[in-house]
Amino acid sequence: MELGGECNINCSKTSYSANIVFHTKPFYGGKKPRITAEIFSPNNKKSFCSIEGEWNGVVYAKYTTGENTVFVDTKKLPIIKKKVRKLEDQNDYESLCLWKDITFNLKIRDIDAATEAKHRLEERQRAEAQERKEKEIQWETRLFHEDGECWVYDAPLLKRLGAVKHQAGKQKFTPDDQGKSSKLSNNLPLGEPITPFLLQWFLSQGYWTF
C-alpha cells in the first residue's frame, strides 16, 4: 500500500513553510517511492533548501549555498514501539478491546476467523446504533466535540503541552517518585507494528480506497 500526494506545512511561530510531495512508485519502471520538498523562509517565494530522496531510505538536502547534506537516513532511525494500557485497564469501547478478537486471529494468520470477528463487531455496532436511534438516545462522546461539520479533539497537543509545562513548574520530583514513574512506564505493554500481511488484510476489507 502506498499513500501519495502533496502537503504544505506552515509554522505560525517562525513563518517558515514547506511544500512536500510524496511520489508513489509508477506502474511501469522500477523507480522507488520518493519524497521531494521545497523549504521557504518568511516572505520569500524562492526556496533556500530542496529535499529529495526515498521516503523509506536516505533523504538529502541541497541548499542554495551549494551545500549538500544527508537530511535524514530512515534506516538509522530507532524504531519506537507504542505503549498502550493493558486490556483490563481500558474501557469497553476503546479500539483495542473492540478489535481484540480480530487482531488475535490476524496474528495467527487465520483470515477467515478475523473476517468473521470483524463482521460480528460491525453487526453489533449497527444494532446498537439502530437501538439508539429508535430510543432517541444521543451518543455521548468522551474525547471530541462537534464544531459545525467537524469533530474537534478536546485536548489538543498545544493545550496538553501547556498543562504539562505548568504542572512541571509547580511540582518537584524526588528520586523515589522518578523511580515509580519509570517502573510504571516499563510495565506498559508494547503495541504491535503493522506488517505487510496486516495491510493486505485491511485492504481486502475495504479500509482504504485509492
Side-chain angles (χ1 to χ4, degrees):
M1 183 194 72
E2 290 183 325
L3 296 176
E6 183 176 350
C7 69
N8 300 309
I9 300 176
N10 297 284
C11 179
S12 58
K13 185 176 181 179
T14 64
S15 296
Y16 278 80
S17 62
N19 297 333
I20 307 171
V21 181
F22 293 90
H23 305 268
T24 58
K25 186 176 180 180
F27 286 106
Y28 302 101
K31 206 166 188 178
K32 295 183 178 180
R34 298 180 303 117
I35 180 174
T36 58
E38 298 293 336
I39 305 176
F40 301 86
S41 58
N43 302 318
N44 200 329
K45 295 183 178 180
K46 186 176 181 180
S47 69
F48 69 89
C49 179
S50 299
I51 304 294
E52 184 172 4
E54 299 173 16
W55 66 30
N56 58 350
V58 182
V59 180
Y60 299 92
K62 183 177 181 180
Y63 296 88
T64 53
T65 59
E67 179 186 4
N68 296 328
T69 62
V70 174
F71 187 73
V72 63
D73 186 349
T74 62
K75 301 296 185 183
K76 295 181 179 179
L77 293 177
I79 298 176
I80 302 175
K81 293 185 177 181
K82 61 183 178 182
K83 296 181 179 180
V84 297
R85 293 191 185 99
K86 295 179 180 179
L87 284 176
E88 55 266 29
D89 296 330
Q90 297 189 26
N91 295 323
D92 293 337
Y93 285 95
E94 293 196 51
S95 59
L96 285 182
C97 290
L98 292 174
W99 283 66
K100 61 182 179 181
D101 293 334
I102 302 170
T103 53
F104 170 77
N105 286 297
L106 285 174
K107 287 179 181 179
I108 63 175
R109 295 179 175 267
D110 191 336
I111 297 298
D112 292 336
T115 303
E116 177 59 29
K118 174 177 173 289
H119 176 73
R120 289 197 307 269
L121 174 61
E122 291 174 337
E123 288 300 310
R124 193 188 88 188
Q125 291 177 327
R126 291 190 185 100
E128 291 173 348
Q130 182 63 29
E131 182 180 2
R132 289 194 300 270
K133 182 178 180 180
E134 292 174 354
K135 295 182 179 180
E136 297 183 350
I137 299 175
Q138 183 70 28
W139 176 265
E140 295 184 6
T141 60
R142 293 178 57 247
L143 302 175
F144 293 83
H145 64 273
E146 196 170 6
D147 184 6
E149 297 181 354
C150 302
W151 287 92
V152 181
Y153 186 46
D154 293 337
L157 180 59
L158 288 177
K159 184 177 179 180
R160 283 178 282 150
L161 289 176
V164 170
K165 184 177 180 181
H166 177 71
Q167 185 66 20
K170 295 171 56 179
Q171 187 173 2
K172 293 183 178 180
F173 290 94
T174 66
D176 184 56
D177 291 331
Q178 294 173 355
K180 291 177 181 177
S181 175
S182 176
K183 184 177 180 181
L184 176 62
S185 298
N186 291 335
N187 286 334
L188 292 173
L190 297 177
E192 292 290 332
I194 294 180
T195 64
F197 170 78
L198 294 181
L199 287 177
Q200 289 178 0
W201 184 84
F202 280 123
L203 286 170
S204 71
Q205 299 300 310
Y207 273 88
W208 291 288
T209 56
F210 302 94

